[in-house]
Amino acid sequence: MVVSYTIMIFWAIVVLLPLYWLLTTSLKLPIDVNMGPFYIPFIEFEPSLHAWDYILLGDLANDTIRAYKNTVIVGFTSAFLTVLLGTAAAYGLTRFSYRPKLGTILIAIGCIALAGIAIWAGVNWILAIIAAIVLFIVLMQTLGRRFKRSLGNSDIAFWLISQRMLPPVAVVLPIYVMFQTLNLLDTQAALIITYTAVNLAIVVWLMRDYFQTIPIEIEECAAIDGASRFRIFWSIVLPLSVPGLVATFLFVLVFTWNEYLLALFLSGANAQTLPLTIAAQSATRGPQWWYMSVLILIMILPVIIIAILLERYISRGLLVGSIKG
Amino acid sequence: MESAEIEPQGPEGLDPGLEASSSTPKRRRRRLSELPERMAGNAFLLPAILMVLFLAIFPLIVSAYLSLSRIKFVKGGFEINFVGLANYKKLLTGSEQTHFLGKFGDPSPIGWIVFWGAVAAMAWGFIRYIRGERRTVIGTMGRIIAMLIMSGALYLLIHVLGSDGRPGTIVVTWIYVFVGIAVQYSLALGLALLVTQNIPGRRFFRIVYLIPMMITPVGVAYLFRMLTNTDIGPFQPIWQAMGLGLYSWVTDPWGARVAIMIGDIWQWTPFMFIVLVAALETQSVEQVEAALVDGANKRQIFRFITFPQILPVTLTLILIRLIEAFKIVDLPNVMTNGGPGTATESMTLQAFFNWRALDLGGSAAIAYMLLFVVTFIGIAYVNLVRGRVTEA
C-alpha cells in the first residue's frame, strides 16, 4: 500500500513537474529564467504577466488569435468530417456486404493509369478523362460478367485501416503540388481535407468494432416498420453509439489539434496553426521560453479540460471491442 | 416490405452503376424498384473510399514516380527527369549512405555473437517450417524474404553500433521505436496495475497520468528542452552536484537521443496506460478469486491469469504504437534540430530536410524507404504474433 502510493505519487510528480515548470516559466521575467532555476513564485521571483500580456494583448495578439482560430476551425471541422465519413464507412462495412469484383478494380486502375499517362503526354485532360470513362464502360460491358473473384468486407476494411501505416511524409509532396495547382495552399480547407484523409483509418477501425457490439435486432425491427437505411443509421444507430463517437471524436481532435508535420508543409502565414506558432518562438534571439510557455499553456488547456471531463468515456468508448484484437 | 431486410444483402458491387446484374428479368425488376436501398450501402462507404483514393493512393503513386526522378526547378516551373533507382542507390551505397544507414565500424565480438545467433535461430525455424506439414509456396517465399531482410538489418545494426561506427537515420529511427515502445509498455503496465488496485484516490492519479498524451509534441519538445537544460532547468542543482553543470545533453549524440526518447516516453506512456487500465478492469474476477483461494501469490496470479487475459490487448497496442512511432519527427526537429550533426535525425525528419533543400526526389525516396520499413515490420509482427498466439 505504502509502496503503491509512493510509486504513484512519484509518477504523478514526473507528469506534473514539467507542467508546473511551464506555468512558472510563463510568469517569469526573461532575467528570472536566465539567471538559473527559481522554483517558488513570490519568494524566489516576482511573478509577472508580461508574457501573457505580449501574447494575448500585445504585439503578438493578432498572430496568436489567428493561429488559435485556425487551430479551432481546422481541428473541429476536420474531426467532425472524419467522424462522419469514417462512421458511415464503418457502418456500411458492418451492415452491408460489398463484393467488388477484383476484375472491376483492376480495369478501373488500368483506365486511370492510361488517363494519367495520356495527360502526362500532353493530351487535354477533359478529353483523357472522358476517353477513360468510355473505355471503362465498354470493357465492363464486354468483360464485366466474366469476373468471378471478388473482395469481401474484411478486405475493404483492412485496406482502409492499413492506410494508417502510410507515413505522412510519403504522400505530402504530391498533396502539396495538388493544393498548389488548386490554389488551396495555405488555407484552412487544405489542412481540413488532408487531416480528414489521414485520420479516417482510425475512425473506421474504432467505429467498426464498436458497431459490431451493437445488437442488430433493434435495427431489424425499425426496418420492418419501414424505416429507410439512412433513417435507421441517423436516429437509431448513432444515438446508440454516442460513447464510441465521443471517444473517437476526441482522439481525432487531439491528433489534428497537435499535428505538426503536415501543417509545416501545407500552411504558411495564413493558415498557420498553433504548433507552428510555438515552434516559431525559437527565432533569431534564441528560444523565448516565457512566450513559448504561454502558448503551450493556452494550447493544452482546452484539451486537458476535455480529457478530464471525459476520462471515463475515453477508456470505455475506445475499448468496447476494438483493441481486444 | 422485402427490401427492408437488414440482412447483409445489399449492393453486390462497389460501383452502383456497374455491378453485375442478375440474369432473370424478374429479379432485375425487383432490384430496380429497390434502387435507393441498394444505393444506400454505396453511399455509406464510397465517400471514405474516394477520400483515401485521392489523398493517399494517388499521391503515393505520384510519390513513387518522384522517388525515381530528379526534379529541377527552372524558370516558371520545374522539370522532371527520370533517373531510375539513382535516388535509392545514393541512399544505400552512394553519397548519402553515412547519413541514411550510418558509418560502418568494426562490430564487437558480442555483436557478432548476436548476429550469428539470430541467423542460426532463423535458419532453424525455417528448416522446421520446411519439414512441417503446413508449408505453402507463399509462406516459404515470405519467410525467405523476411530472413534476408532481418539478417541485413542486424548486419547493419552491429556494424553501425560497433566501435567507430555511427548510426544513420534509419537506425536512429529503429532505436526510437523499439526502445521507446519497450519502456513505455513496461511503465504503463506497472502503473496500470497500481491504479487498478482498490485504493482511494486512484481516479485522481488516472486523470493526472493521462495528461501528457494531450500535449502537442512540439510543446513537449520545448518543455524537455527546458527541463534538460543543465544551466537554467529545474534540475540544475542535481547536475551541479554531479559535476555536470556545464555538460550539455544536446552536444552529445547519445545524450541527445536519450533526451528525445525521454520526451517521447513521457508523452506516450499515457496512451498505453489508459488502454491497459481498461483491459485490466474488464478481466474476469472469478479466476483471480479462485486462485487466491488456492493460495496463489500475486506474482503467480499475474503470470498465469492476468497476463494471458490482457495479452491480445497488449499485442494490438504494440502494433498501434509501432505504426505511429515510426512517424516520429516533431521531437527531434524541435528539441535538437536533428543535431548534433545528424545524430538524432529520424527518417521523416531527413525527408523533410531534403524537401527543404529542394531535393524532392531524394525526399520521396527516403519516404518510400520508411514506408517499406513500416510495412515490413508491421507484416512481420502480425505474422509472428499470429503464429505465437495460435500455438499457445
Side-chain angles (χ1 to χ4, degrees):
Chain A
M1 190 82 161
V2 175
V3 180
S4 296
Y5 270 115
T6 318
I7 301 172
M8 279 159 73
I9 289 170
F10 171 74
W11 189 258
I13 292 172
V14 169
V15 169
L16 291 178
L17 183 88
L19 297 178
Y20 173 77
W21 196 252
L22 206 58
L23 187 65
T24 52
T25 306
S26 80
L27 295 172
K28 284 176 188 167
L29 288 168
I31 184 161
D32 288 327
V33 176
N34 288 328
M35 284 304 287
F38 295 123
Y39 303 93
I40 307 160
F42 295 111
I43 296 173
E44 285 184 287
F45 68 94
E46 203 53 43
S48 138
L49 285 173
H50 79 104
W52 289 85
D53 184 65
Y54 175 81
I55 296 285
L56 294 177
L57 303 166
D59 293 351
L60 211 68
N62 284 332
D63 284 3
T64 319
I65 292 165
R66 193 177 56 225
Y68 215 97
K69 245 202 273 177
N70 283 330
T71 315
V72 170
I73 293 173
V74 169
F76 277 87
T77 318
S78 110
F80 175 77
L81 273 179
T82 319
V83 171
L84 187 75
L85 293 180
T87 307
Y91 181 74
L93 285 170
T94 49
R95 295 294 191 265
F96 297 83
S97 98
Y98 300 93
R99 269 187 253 294
K101 297 264 189 293
L102 210 55
T104 314
I105 296 169
L106 287 180
I107 289 184
I109 292 173
C111 289
I112 291 167
L114 277 179
I117 292 170
I119 292 171
W120 182 68
V123 181
N124 185 323
W125 64 275
I126 300 176
L127 217 70
I129 288 172
I130 292 174
I133 292 173
V134 170
L135 182 69
F136 180 71
I137 293 173
V138 168
L139 280 176
M140 280 311 298
Q141 289 303 320
T142 50
L143 297 173
R145 305 277 155 79
R146 300 205 187 154
F147 297 133
K148 287 287 181 290
R149 291 193 66 168
S150 59
L151 301 174
N153 281 21
S154 53
D155 298 312
I156 303 175
F158 178 78
W159 176 72
L160 273 176
I161 293 167
S162 67
Q163 297 308 314
R164 191 66 202 173
M165 279 169 89
L166 210 64
V169 78
V171 291
V172 74
L173 298 175
I175 290 179
Y176 177 88
V177 175
M178 186 179 85
F179 283 132
Q180 199 176 34
T181 42
L182 293 173
N183 264 330
L184 280 176
L185 213 57
D186 194 16
T187 61
Q188 293 168 355
L191 286 179
I192 292 172
I193 295 170
T194 318
Y195 287 165
T196 306
V198 165
N199 290 321
L200 207 53
I202 308 179
V203 180
V204 172
W205 176 61
L206 290 176
M207 290 314 291
R208 190 172 84 105
D209 292 300
Y210 201 90
F211 287 139
Q212 278 165 352
T213 63
I214 295 181
I216 202 167
E217 286 78 17
I218 312 171
E219 292 166 53
E220 282 171 350
C221 290
I224 290 164
D225 290 345
S228 74
R229 287 233 152 119
F230 294 110
R231 212 180 133 71
I232 294 172
F233 178 65
W234 189 254
S235 45
I236 295 174
V237 177
L238 284 188
L240 274 177
S241 39
V242 165
L245 285 172
V246 170
T248 313
F249 181 84
L250 284 179
F251 256 83
V252 177
L253 182 66
V254 170
F255 270 121
T256 51
W257 190 269
N258 295 337
E259 209 284 335
Y260 174 64
L261 181 74
L262 290 167
L264 194 61
F265 274 94
L266 297 176
S267 70
N270 257 328
Q272 197 183 56
T273 53
L274 277 172
L276 295 180
T277 318
I278 296 175
Q281 299 308 309
S282 179
T284 41
R285 286 168 298 158
Q288 313 284 302
W289 299 119
W290 35 97
Y291 300 144
M292 259 177 219
S293 305
V294 176
L295 282 169
I296 297 172
L297 278 174
I298 60 171
M299 186 172 171
I300 62 182
L301 223 51
V303 206
I304 288 180
I305 290 171
I306 296 175
I308 289 174
L309 291 178
L310 297 169
E311 181 256 346
R312 289 258 158 110
Y313 253 150
I314 293 176
S315 51
R316 209 189 317 146
L318 180 73
L319 267 160
V320 169
S322 45
I323 300 212
K324 298 206 165 158
Chain B
M1 196 172 129
E2 237 179 36
S3 62
E5 264 179 17
I6 276 278
E7 270 305 302
Q9 213 193 45
E12 294 188 342
L14 192 57
D15 203 328
L18 300 157
E19 67 187 35
S21 44
S22 56
S23 44
T24 59
K26 189 182 159 220
R27 213 172 144 216
R28 198 191 175 96
R29 214 175 308 125
R30 203 199 67 179
R31 295 180 89 216
L32 272 180
S33 73
E34 60 193 49
L35 195 65
E37 289 293 313
R38 277 204 302 117
M39 301 275 276
N42 292 324
F44 279 118
L45 187 58
L46 268 184
I49 299 264
L50 288 177
M51 196 85 195
V52 169
L53 271 185
F54 278 100
L55 285 144
I57 302 301
F58 293 157
L60 198 61
I61 296 167
V62 176
S63 228
Y65 183 73
L66 281 183
S67 77
L68 299 174
S69 20
R70 182 164 300 136
I71 291 108
K72 248 196 274 167
F73 286 86
V74 292
K75 236 185 176 154
F78 47 87
E79 90 189 25
I80 301 177
N81 295 312
F82 188 80
V83 292
L85 290 171
N87 287 321
Y88 294 94
K89 233 181 183 162
K90 199 165 80 182
L91 285 178
L92 295 176
T93 56
S95 58
E96 286 283 292
Q97 189 197 35
T98 50
H99 189 179
F100 183 70
L101 294 178
K103 187 164 153 264
F104 283 64
D106 296 321
S108 60
I110 300 170
W112 281 119
I113 292 170
V114 170
F115 176 70
W116 287 114
V119 168
M122 281 192 288
W124 184 71
F126 184 69
I127 290 167
R128 225 178 50 157
Y129 174 76
I130 289 286
R131 287 236 185 113
E133 309 264 295
R134 285 177 299 170
R135 68 166 187 273
T136 55
V137 177
I138 294 177
T140 313
M141 297 271 287
R143 275 170 178 78
I144 292 174
I145 295 170
M147 272 171 25
L148 286 177
I149 294 176
M150 279 198 234
S151 320
L154 266 177
Y155 184 82
L156 173 66
L157 213 57
I158 61 165
H159 275 87
V160 296
L161 294 179
S163 57
D164 61 70
R166 194 181 62 221
T169 53
I170 188 169
V171 178
V172 170
T173 310
W174 290 341
I175 294 171
Y176 288 154
V177 171
F178 294 121
V179 177
I181 288 179
V183 177
Q184 284 162 26
Y185 182 74
S186 333
L187 280 175
L189 184 61
L191 293 170
L193 286 172
L194 284 178
V195 303
T196 45
Q197 293 175 100
N198 201 3
I199 52 178
R202 57 198 168 139
R203 191 163 147 72
F204 165 76
F205 287 107
R206 218 179 272 195
I207 292 173
V208 167
Y209 293 172
L210 203 60
I211 292 174
M213 198 173 98
M214 306 287 167
I215 301 175
T216 174
V218 177
V220 174
Y222 277 121
L223 199 49
F224 276 84
R225 229 170 104 175
M226 258 194 291
L227 295 176
T228 53
N229 191 313
T230 43
D231 187 25
I232 59 168
F235 303 116
Q236 188 252 3
I238 301 174
W239 305 129
Q240 207 76 56
M242 285 163 61
L244 293 170
L246 291 171
Y247 171 83
S248 179
W249 292 67
V250 285
T251 52
D252 177 67
W254 280 105
R257 284 178 203 132
V258 168
I260 285 170
M261 278 191 278
I262 291 175
D264 195 48
I265 289 162
W266 186 79
Q267 173 156 49
W268 289 111
T269 302
F271 175 72
M272 293 219 171
F273 166 78
I274 189 177
V275 175
L276 286 172
V277 165
L280 285 172
E281 286 196 329
T282 50
Q283 66 165 329
S284 67
V285 200
E286 290 88 6
Q287 281 182 322
V288 177
E289 278 167 0
L292 277 175
V293 170
D294 290 346
N297 63 25
K298 274 192 165 171
R299 180 178 303 183
Q300 285 170 325
I301 290 179
F302 176 75
R303 171 75 185 76
F304 294 106
I305 298 173
T306 308
F307 191 71
Q309 284 202 45
I310 59 169
L311 188 64
V313 176
T314 296
L315 297 176
T316 319
L317 193 58
I318 290 175
L319 179 65
I320 298 171
R321 280 301 303 148
L322 211 56
I323 290 172
E324 299 292 324
F326 266 106
K327 300 173 187 167
I328 183 169
V329 60
D330 325 40
L331 265 102
N333 188 18
V334 175
M335 265 179 93
T336 59
N337 204 11
T342 59
T344 54
E345 258 181 53
S346 66
M347 286 170 88
T348 306
L349 189 58
Q350 194 192 359
F352 173 67
F353 284 158
N354 272 26
W355 176 79
R356 211 170 49 185
L358 296 179
D359 177 13
L360 300 193
S363 175
I366 296 165
Y368 252 81
M369 290 302 293
L370 176 60
L371 176 63
F372 173 72
V373 170
V374 177
T375 314
F376 173 76
I377 290 183
I379 291 173
Y381 176 81
V382 169
N383 279 315
L384 211 66
V385 161
R386 198 194 283 144
R388 291 294 166 281
V389 169
T390 45
E391 261 173 40

